[in-house]
Amino acid sequence: MTIQDIIEGKKEWRAHVARVKALPQDYQIVYKEIQKYLFKVGPAQLTEGTALLSGIVDLFEEGATLGKGVLEVTGSNVAAFCDDLIKDSVTDHKTK
């Protein structure tokens, strides 16, 4: 990874964070909880996780544009929503 890659990655992350901050408050709250959850048990490959987070923002932006509440988009069980998103991904999470 070069310095240029790091700089580019930071620019992309800042743009991603700006998109999240532009969402309605309820969407931001749920997004942050999803992000925490995915950072704990989500895809092991960072690039896969980043694409996943961007996809969630896309979904949330669409839901907000349509005037839907965030739980109309995710369903009432947000953890199950997350699990469904990562069910086919390789994770670092170990089951007992």
Side-chain angles (χ1 to χ4, degrees), residues 10-77:
K10 284 186 176 185
K11 285 180 184 178
E12 288 175 14
W13 183 252
R14 286 186 185 123
H16 176 81
V17 170
R19 287 177 62 202
V20 172
K21 288 181 179 180
L23 292 168
Q25 188 66 29
D26 59 336
Y27 280 86
Q28 288 182 46
I29 291 167
V30 172
Y31 173 84
K32 287 176 185 173
E33 291 304 314
I34 289 172
Q35 182 183 33
K36 283 184 213 174
Y37 184 84
L38 292 177
F39 282 172
K40 283 185 181 177
V41 300
Q45 295 177 341
L46 183 59
T47 55
E48 190 177 337
T50 304
L52 182 60
L53 291 174
S54 292
I56 292 168
V57 174
D58 292 342
L59 182 66
F60 280 13
E61 287 171 338
E62 183 179 331
T65 299
L66 295 173
K68 293 182 178 182
V70 69
L71 295 181
E72 290 179 81
V73 175
T74 62
S76 59
N77 187 339

